[in-house]
Every structure is written in C-alpha cells, then in structure tokens.
Amino acid sequence: MTDRNQETERQRSNFVESLADYSRKQQAQRWEGSFSDYLRDIVTADPARAARSSHQYIWDMICWRGVEASKPGGAATHYKLFEDDLFGIDQALERVANYFKAASEGSEVGRRLLLLLGPPSGGKSSLVTLLKRGLEAYSHTDEGALYAIQESPIQESPLLLIPHGKQAEFKDTYGVAIGGELSPFTRALLDGKYDGDFARVPVHRIFIDEAARNAVGTYAPHDPTTADIADLVGSVDLSKVAEYGDEGDPRAWSWSGAVYAGNRGLLEMIEILKVKREFLYLLLTLTQEQLVKVSRFPLIYIDETIVAHTNMAEFRRFLQEKENEALLDRMVIVQVPYTLCYTDEARIYHKLTSTTPSFRQVHLDPHALQVAAVFAILTRLKPSERQDLDLSKKLRIHAHEAVEGISDAEAERIIREQPDEGMDGVSPRFIVNALAGAISQSESKSLTAMEVMLAIKDAIESDARMDAKVKKQWTDFLVTTRKEFYNRWVKEDVHKALFVSFQDEAQELLDKYLDEVEAVLENRKVDDPITGEERDADERFLRSVETKIGISDSGKTSFRQEIVRKALNAYKRGVKFTLAEHARLREAIEQYLFEERRDVLRLVTSRVRADTETMKKISAVEERLVNDYGYDAHSAHEALNYVTTLLAQE
C-alpha cells in the first residue's frame, strides 16, 4: 500500500471514530426527569440561566461565540459568529447585535420585530442562517442547555408549570421572575393526565434544530391569494376531532405552525412584506405582547424572537400605504447593504466560489477577484459632495487606503455622508454568474483579471433587464477598473518579479526618504553617505517620490509630518517603520522604483527580435510571477504581455 493510500485510510478511520465519539457525547448530554428533579438539579444551580427569554438566549449565544470590543477610532465591535461568512457589513452586524443586547436587558426593543432590509444577495438570509446555526450549536453546550416540558407540542419552559400563587415565592427564593402561561394543550395535560400535580410532569433537555422544528421556525410566503394563516398558528385537525369529540379540545388542534416551532428560539419570516396584512398584525402583536389568539382557545403565550427580511422594492411599496405606519412603528429596521470595501467583496467571491468544483479546477490570477470587486463597488457608490473626489478615490477611502489630501477624520465623514450607499448596484450573484460563464469558456483552466473583466462586460451587454444608459455607465466602470487599478497592480507585480531585490531596495529608499524629510522639517544638514560631507536635504528627491502619488507642493509639509509621526509611533512600539505602515508612501516608492527601471523593464519585456539571453530573462520573470506572486504559467505569460503593451503605449 502506498503512503498516500495509507494516509487516506488513516483519515477515514479517524473520521469514523470521530463520528462515534460525537454520538457518545450527544447521548451523554440528554437529560430527563420530573419537574421536581428539574427544579432541584437544574434550576437551583443557575436560576437566571433557566429563566432566560429567547432574546437573552440569543444574546448569550452571540457572546458565547466571541465578541471583541470596538477599538478607538470608530471601528465596529467584532462578532465571531459572523466572521467567516459575512464581510464588509460590520456596522449592520453591530446594529443587529445591539438589538439583541438591548432586548436581553428587558428594554422596549424586545417588543419590536427585527426587520433586515437590503438588496438581493446582500447577506440578509445568511445572517439569519448564522443565527440559527449558532443556536443549534449553543444548545449542545453546558452554557446553552435548554429544557422543556416533555409532552408539550411547543417545547414550553418547565417554569410555566409553577402556579400563579407560588410565582412570587419562587422569585423571592431564586431571584428570577416567571413570565407567561401554559398553553391550552399542556394545561389540559396537567389537569387530565397528572391530576394537577405539576411536580410529576416530565421534563427533558431539548436541542435546537431547524430541521426538527425545535425552537426554530421558518415561514416563506407563497401565493397571497391561497396563503393560509394556519401555516403560522395551526388549525383544527379533523382526524383528531373524531377521537376527542370536540373541535375546542386542544388535543384536536394541529400545533404544527411556524410560530409554535419557533417558541423558545427564533422565527424567520422570509420576504415578510409579501404576506397578507392579517399575518403582519398577528406577528407584530406576538412580538409586542408575546401572545397569539386562535379560534376556540384563550390567548397562547409564545416566547420567541422574530427576525424578518425583505428587499428595497417591497419596502418602498409598503411605505406608500399610510395604513402601514402603525406597523412600521413596531419594527426595528436594520439596513444590510452591499459591502463598499473591495477587499471584503473579493472575500465574498472567494467564499462563494471556493466550494464549487468548477471553480476549484481553474486557477484565478491574484487580481481576478479584486478587479471584479472594484467594478462592483463602483456601481454601488454615489458621487461625493466634494467636487475633487471622484469615485476611484472614494472607493479607496472605503477600503481604508490613504488618499492624498484626505485626513482620517475627513475619510470617516465621507464614508458616512450617504447612509443609503450600498443599497443598490451590482450584486455578488451577478459577478459570480459572470465568472462561471468565463470559466465554462476557458480552455486553459486559468482565468486572468483581463478575462474576468471581459466576462463581466459580456454579462452586462447580454442582460435584457438593463437599459442602455446603465449598460454604458457600468461599461465605463470597467474601463476605470482597468486603468486606475489593474494597470497599477499588474505593473507592480512584473516590476517586483523582474528585480529580485525589490523589497530591500524599497526599504533602503524608505530609509533615505525618512532621513531627508527629518532634515527638512528640522532645518538641518544631511551627512552624505558617499562623500561623508554635510549637504542640504535633497528636496528634488523628495518631490520626485511625492509627485508619484499626486502630493501637491502646498500639501507636501503636512504629508511629511504625517510620515514622521507614524515613524515615531513605530519607534515607540519598538518596531521598524516599513512600507507596510503607510499604503500611500509604499505606492509612491514602488512607482519611483518602477520609473527608475522603466527602460530596463521595457528592454527585457520586449519580444521583438529578442535574443536568447533576453528570452531567458523573460522566462525567469514569468517563473518568479508563478512562484512568488500567485500566477500560473498562463496568467504570468498574459501579464507580461499586457505590461509590454502598456509600456509600448507610454
């Protein structure tokens, strides 16, 4: 047997053992007993945990997964529940988390329906799915242990068994209050089967499970003309009426509605504004009062968090109807926009494509997803109030890159100047569909950034839903993406691959720049490293670097002061000031080096009458692009050809 076969066999054996271990742990977590056992063994150990509401339980789950507090400078709090799946919408995620935090503390927020509002494919459904999966995992932990009356069809809290006359004493004894009433079904069960002896009623530990409809309910609207509210709250089960003889017997009621499935946990309402108004009133009353009214029964107590989502088109229609104002007042609306950071957008594409077999078989060059992301963000941005700030600069600000003339405080103001930004534009699904089309046509099993842009252009032109004006605008955004971003990125890659010592040279140039800047700001001479003599600071050199990124003569002093401050901060932290500390200065120095070597680069990349020695150099550059910069043979060859064309045009 080969080593590879042995390793495969070992992995399979380990997996079988891990499954068996998982099953043993699942069995060990189960618990059953009478209500008296539950009160003595479970509640006494941690009364507050036993009495948690659905909002408190969800907030505890979010905290259990991990929370990193916001840092100075306005960065949003980081919630680990979302970190591997949702990118670039930290502000929206923080607002959602704040809703649960406030509701868990007993504020009025807990009496409101949470509505996620955003464009298609923006992450609303994924956000709710992460909450549901988090609840499922949390319910299997000691901290998240959840118990219910064993025979209840709606997994009711065992504490509801305590009679009203004893609830005040329970609060004095355990320090927590009980809210709510037993359902008609469980009350009939208590009186009939157990003769009112609540101490004997069996209790068991439950595990949240969407598929089993345990503490997670989901409702998706269908044809409004045939939609039945029974899908939410159940109806009479005619097959049981004959058995129990009365339609008003709670045992003859079907407790299969989505509202009951979500009791103790979460109810997801998909495209909520498409449902009938009677559905909305029922849900909002449930959120406000935690009560549901169905025919033949008294009010039924339900403790669940309702999270709904809808798109902008449906929401705008909803706003136009004045009778909906009261409904809106009972909702907490959180906008979930598309991300406006192109690096986060590229992460979304990577996530969406990394699990697809067709994508895994094709190599993407290091900028393929980035150029798609830049294009997507350009379609989502709105013009700035500042006349000197075009969309390219605004895109870089949203990616937290330094832009000449824009302070950190001003950048934050620009980011927040248009709250509705990101609520329209191209969706991730559009981009991924275009990528899939390009891959299906690729014969080389390799996709370059240029091929991605051509695929997007083709998708735009073939989209029958788009009018000519939008097509023209989006095509122009592709041109901007190529000229303002891809051209710079690919030239830098080729330049670095051509000059092996690039990083060392760049650091030496940075050190020289710092020495010259400090001399200028301190109005002192510089020791020339070659002659050993004192000389004036090399202002010509400084300006040749700074002009590469558009630093004006009037703005040079503030730029230099900023660099020195950052260098001083690095020194205080005990670290060396490198190009990684300042994106704009790194760009300037890289371009300076690139300009210095332009003639050499043009000579080496030229394939016109190239001799054997030149061809060897070209092959070496392509090899370094593959080994060090994420290209494959096809994309490296294409990148070098493209840069050659750019140089010929300059």
Side-chain angles (χ1 to χ4, degrees):
M1 185 181 289
T2 65
D3 291 343
R4 184 174 181 180
N5 289 339
Q6 288 177 336
E7 178 61 26
T8 300
E9 190 64 30
R10 188 160 44 249
Q11 289 176 344
R12 290 172 178 172
S13 177
N14 290 341
F15 179 71
V16 171
E17 180 56 35
S18 70
L19 280 181
D21 184 55
Y22 180 81
S23 180
R24 287 191 293 270
K25 288 180 179 177
Q26 296 285 89
Q27 291 298 321
Q29 288 178 331
R30 299 188 182 279
W31 184 94
E32 291 183 6
S34 68
F35 178 70
S36 293
D37 297 331
Y38 168 73
L39 202 59
R40 182 185 62 249
D41 300 337
I42 306 300
V43 177
T44 300
D46 196 334
R49 185 177 290 174
R52 284 181 290 188
S53 68
S54 63
H55 284 102
Q56 289 171 327
Y57 190 84
I58 295 174
W59 173 243
D60 286 349
M61 177 274 292
I62 292 172
C63 294
W64 164 73
R65 284 297 302 270
V67 178
E68 293 179 5
S70 57
K71 297 179 176 61
T77 303
H78 179 71
Y79 297 93
K80 294 188 177 180
L81 176 66
F82 309 114
E83 66 180 357
D84 294 329
D85 294 272
L86 297 174
F87 312 115
I89 54 171
D90 290 347
Q91 298 295 332
L93 296 176
E94 184 163 33
R95 285 191 286 271
V96 169
N98 286 342
Y99 163 85
F100 286 108
K101 184 175 186 293
S104 73
E105 294 168 348
S107 75
E108 278 294 303
V109 170
R111 298 161 67 87
R112 304 287 183 270
L113 181 150
L114 176 61
L115 177 64
L116 306 179
L117 173 64
S121 191
K124 304 184 298 296
S125 297
S126 296
L127 195 162
V128 182
T129 297
L130 290 171
L131 288 172
K132 293 188 290 189
R133 298 297 166 264
L135 288 173
E136 290 174 341
Y138 184 55
S139 71
H140 283 274
T141 66
D142 291 339
E143 302 96 315
L146 198 62
Y147 299 85
I149 299 170
Q150 192 166 40
E151 296 167 88
S152 167
I154 59 173
Q155 56 274 346
E156 292 166 271
S157 168
L159 295 180
L160 298 180
L161 288 165
I162 297 176
H164 281 287
K166 301 291 287 182
Q167 288 184 4
E169 183 181 348
F170 176 85
K171 182 178 180 181
D172 291 340
T173 304
Y174 292 93
V176 292
I178 301 170
E181 301 276 352
L182 285 174
S183 70
F185 182 98
T186 307
R187 184 165 297 282
L189 180 75
L190 174 63
D191 294 339
K193 187 173 179 179
Y194 297 100
D195 298 322
D197 185 359
F198 58 86
R200 291 194 296 121
V201 175
V203 173
H204 67 155
R205 181 175 178 179
I206 63 171
F207 301 98
I208 295 179
D209 187 340
E210 181 179 17
R213 296 169 62 81
N214 285 338
V216 172
T218 303
Y219 179 83
H222 39 83
D223 183 0
T225 59
T226 60
D228 190 341
I229 203 165
D231 293 338
L232 288 177
V233 295
S235 61
V236 173
D237 186 342
L238 296 178
S239 66
K240 294 181 180 179
V241 172
E243 180 181 352
Y244 298 111
D246 182 5
E247 290 187 3
D249 191 312
R251 293 170 297 177
W253 187 263
S254 171
W255 297 89
S256 59
V259 163
Y260 305 132
N263 189 35
R264 308 289 302 285
L266 182 146
L267 171 62
E268 177 186 13
M269 293 295 298
I270 300 169
E271 296 296 348
I272 187 174
L273 300 185
K274 291 182 178 179
V275 303
K276 294 178 180 179
R277 186 168 277 107
E278 63 177 304
F279 284 41
L280 287 176
Y281 279 115
L282 180 146
L283 292 169
L284 292 170
T285 301
L286 170 58
T287 305
Q288 187 83 17
E289 311 294 340
Q290 292 185 292
L291 297 170
V292 168
K293 179 69 177 79
V294 297
S295 61
R296 301 178 181 85
F297 297 130
L299 293 169
I300 301 171
Y301 173 76
I302 298 289
D303 172 27
E304 68 189 13
T305 298
I306 303 178
V307 182
H309 43 95
T310 193
N311 58 50
M312 288 300 298
E314 293 291 340
F315 187 69
R316 291 190 183 105
R317 279 195 288 271
F318 188 75
L319 286 177
Q320 291 170 0
E321 301 175 13
K322 288 196 172 181
E323 57 267 38
N324 291 330
E325 290 181 3
L327 297 173
L328 284 166
D329 195 47
R330 290 146 82 179
M331 298 177 181
V332 170
I333 301 171
V334 174
Q335 290 191 353
V336 183
Y338 292 132
T339 179
L340 296 176
C341 174
Y342 75 87
T343 55
D344 285 327
E345 182 76 4
R347 291 176 70 194
I348 293 173
Y349 302 156
H350 177 73
K351 174 180 174 288
L352 292 174
T353 59
S354 60
T355 57
T356 306
S358 60
F359 280 94
R360 289 203 302 268
Q361 296 168 7
V362 173
H363 178 273
L364 299 176
D365 90 18
H367 306 299
L369 298 183
Q370 282 187 310
V371 295
V374 167
F375 161 75
I377 304 304
L378 288 173
T379 70
R380 301 168 188 171
L381 293 175
K382 301 182 187 302
S384 173
E385 297 172 0
R386 290 182 53 141
Q387 297 298 317
D388 62 336
L389 193 70
D390 60 23
L391 290 185
S392 294
K393 290 181 180 178
K394 193 172 183 182
L395 181 143
R396 293 175 62 185
I397 289 172
H398 275 284
H400 306 291
E401 295 179 4
V403 173
E404 195 268 326
I406 305 294
S407 65
D408 290 345
E410 180 68 5
E412 284 299 317
R413 193 194 69 77
I414 291 168
I415 287 173
R416 301 178 191 279
E417 70 181 355
Q418 290 164 324
D420 289 338
E421 207 164 37
M423 296 299 284
D424 54 18
V426 74
S427 73
R429 192 176 294 128
F430 178 93
I431 297 296
V432 172
N433 289 345
L435 289 172
I439 284 175
S440 67
Q441 299 174 19
S442 173
E443 297 179 358
S444 59
K445 295 298 181 182
S446 175
L447 206 58
T448 69
M450 283 300 296
E451 289 166 338
V452 167
M453 286 187 280
L454 289 173
I456 294 173
K457 182 174 183 290
D458 182 63
I460 294 170
E461 292 175 346
S462 60
D463 194 325
R465 301 166 299 173
M466 209 178 300
D467 63 39
K469 183 178 180 181
V470 174
K471 287 185 177 183
K472 173 66 167 61
Q473 184 185 44
W474 285 17
T475 302
D476 289 343
F477 286 148
L478 278 174
V479 174
T480 300
T481 300
R482 179 176 62 83
K483 288 184 175 180
E484 300 292 330
F485 295 89
Y486 178 62
N487 285 2
R488 173 165 52 88
W489 292 337
V490 71
K491 284 194 294 185
E492 287 174 357
D493 287 347
V494 170
H495 182 220
K496 292 174 185 177
L498 179 62
F499 302 106
V500 181
S501 60
F502 177 84
Q503 296 298 337
D504 292 337
E505 291 183 58
Q507 185 61 45
E508 288 176 7
L509 197 62
L510 172 62
D511 293 339
K512 173 177 168 57
Y513 179 86
L514 284 174
D515 288 342
E516 302 291 343
V517 161
E518 288 175 356
V520 169
L521 294 178
E522 295 171 6
N523 195 26
R524 61 173 173 79
K525 301 283 187 178
V526 177
D527 292 330
D528 192 294
I530 298 176
T531 64
E533 299 176 355
E534 285 192 342
R535 60 169 175 79
D536 292 332
D538 192 346
E539 179 67 20
R540 182 177 178 182
F541 161 71
L542 293 176
R543 293 302 294 144
S544 65
V545 171
E546 293 160 353
T547 54
K548 295 293 182 292
I549 51 172
I551 303 296
S552 63
D553 197 58
S554 60
K556 66 183 181 183
T557 301
S558 60
F559 178 78
R560 293 170 182 177
Q561 289 170 340
E562 177 190 341
I563 298 299
V564 170
R565 279 198 305 272
K566 287 185 178 287
L568 184 59
N569 287 337
Y571 175 77
K572 288 178 178 178
R573 298 196 311 270
V575 298
K576 184 177 179 62
F577 183 68
T578 66
L579 292 172
E581 301 282 339
H582 199 286
R584 292 288 282 153
L585 184 57
R586 181 185 68 228
E587 180 185 344
I589 285 179
E590 287 177 352
Q591 288 194 31
Y592 179 90
L593 284 175
F594 190 84
E595 292 294 330
E596 260 195 350
R597 309 294 179 82
R598 180 178 297 277
D599 291 339
V600 178
L601 183 61
R602 184 179 285 112
L603 175 65
V604 172
T605 57
S606 174
R607 297 175 187 270
V608 180
R609 294 192 298 276
D611 56 27
T612 303
E613 187 62 29
T614 299
M615 291 306 297
K616 284 183 180 179
K617 290 183 179 179
I618 291 174
S619 296
V621 172
E622 290 181 353
E623 187 175 340
R624 279 194 288 272
L625 285 172
V626 172
N627 294 335
D628 300 335
Y629 298 101
Y631 292 80
D632 67 352
H634 167 72
S635 56
H637 181 77
E638 293 298 317
L640 204 52
N641 279 344
Y642 183 72
V643 170
T644 302
T645 303
L646 289 177
L647 292 175
Q649 294 171 349
E650 295 176 355

